[in-house]
Amino acid sequence: MRVGEEKREIKLHPQWLNRLSGEFEQSYMLKLRQFLLSEKRAGKRIFPAGPDIFAALNHTPFDRVKVVIFGQDPYHGPGQAHGLCFSVGPGVALPPSLANIYREMTADLGIPPANHGNLSCWAERGVLLLNSVLTVECHKAASHRNRGWERFTDRIAHIIDEEHPGAAFVLWGSYAQKKGEFINRSRHLVIESAHPSPLSASGGFFGSRPFSKVNTWLEGRGISPIDWSLPGRV
């Protein structure tokens, strides 16, 4: 599904398409697609760009998932969103929430913060960086909530819960924590804390040590830990 195209086209990794193809035939998804097309026809700017809507799934195929980090909505400023939650493309200023994530990572693991906000390396190493809502209108935060994306990303969480032998779910803030309500915690790790936003980070995000907790759990299961370091430039 690419925004602005009449022809139905789904650019999705086969491992995810095989598991999610039925969702695209559901009435809620057809309505969502029509909504996105109508918004585009009305001249509204939708982020991320069509080819990046499913970037999180395409960067991290099902069989490579080790960690799932759920965000809320894509960034709504021009040039920011590129389909990975909390991440921004090269040359884009570091968002405050991501700056706080880097701060906690440094306190937790001693890894210095990168001078950019592109988290593609995490995605390629097995960290599924998935927003709960996958599109947004320019300069209108949360404008595409309750349009169907939540049901779609709930389905992804259910698939991982049911089919994956064990993944670490990192849920920051109450919105993301809704995804944890049906996760089998006897098989999966679920880490919950306050959101890294400047409005809430001091209420439990700082000091939560999610990065070391994830790696300790992975190593305890005989799985190689995540290399959370990022290249100096991208």
Side-chain angles (χ1 to χ4, degrees):
M1 179 170 63
R2 296 179 63 178
V3 178
E5 295 185 5
E6 292 292 343
K7 183 180 178 181
R8 182 174 177 271
E9 183 178 3
I10 303 170
K11 299 288 189 178
L12 194 56
H13 190 282
Q15 289 183 10
W16 287 114
L17 187 58
N18 289 341
R19 292 172 167 85
L20 292 166
S21 59
E23 294 301 300
F24 293 97
E25 306 302 327
Q26 298 292 319
S27 61
Y28 84 92
M29 206 62 174
L30 297 175
K31 289 177 182 177
L32 172 59
R33 180 174 179 273
Q34 288 304 313
F35 164 73
L36 293 172
L37 287 170
S38 65
E39 294 290 277
K40 191 71 174 180
R41 289 194 202 101
K44 297 180 180 180
R45 298 177 67 188
I46 307 301
F47 301 136
D52 289 334
I53 290 176
F54 300 115
L57 300 173
N58 290 328
H59 274 78
T60 314
F62 178 85
D63 67 0
R64 296 188 63 187
V65 172
K66 296 181 179 180
V67 183
V68 184
I69 297 179
F70 271 108
Q72 298 182 7
D73 309 270
Y75 295 121
H76 55 84
Q80 290 183 303
H82 67 137
L84 306 178
C85 71
F86 295 105
S87 180
V88 292
V92 179
L94 201 67
S97 291
L98 184 53
N100 285 338
I101 290 171
Y102 284 176
R103 175 179 165 184
E104 178 61 20
M105 182 176 66
T106 299
D108 188 6
L109 299 176
I111 297 174
N115 62 358
H116 61 84
N118 192 319
L119 304 180
S120 296
C121 282
W122 288 3
E124 291 161 5
R125 294 168 187 164
V127 183
L128 180 62
L129 297 166
L130 188 66
N131 278 310
S132 296
V133 175
L134 300 189
T135 57
V136 71
E137 183 181 344
C138 180
H139 296 313
K140 292 188 177 181
S143 52
H144 289 184
R145 289 188 185 179
N146 300 317
R147 291 287 183 174
W149 282 127
E150 292 92 342
R151 179 172 170 180
F152 181 74
T153 54
D154 277 354
R155 180 60 188 144
I156 295 169
H158 275 292
I159 287 170
I160 297 171
D161 176 59
E162 294 164 359
E163 298 185 27
H164 199 287
F169 288 81
V170 180
L171 309 176
W172 292 326
S174 59
Y175 198 81
Q177 286 163 19
K178 294 177 182 178
K179 301 294 189 188
E181 294 175 357
F182 48 78
I183 301 301
N184 182 345
R185 301 186 186 214
S186 67
R187 187 165 75 249
H188 305 286
L189 175 67
V190 178
I191 296 175
E192 299 175 311
S193 75
H195 193 275
S197 163
L199 298 176
S200 56
S202 296
F205 175 75
F206 290 135
S208 61
R209 303 179 66 86
F211 307 98
S212 61
K213 289 177 181 177
V214 163
N215 280 353
T216 297
W217 185 82
L218 290 172
E219 290 178 303
R221 297 174 66 87
I223 302 169
S224 59
I226 300 295
D227 176 5
W228 295 104
S229 64
L230 293 165
R233 297 190 181 280
V234 292

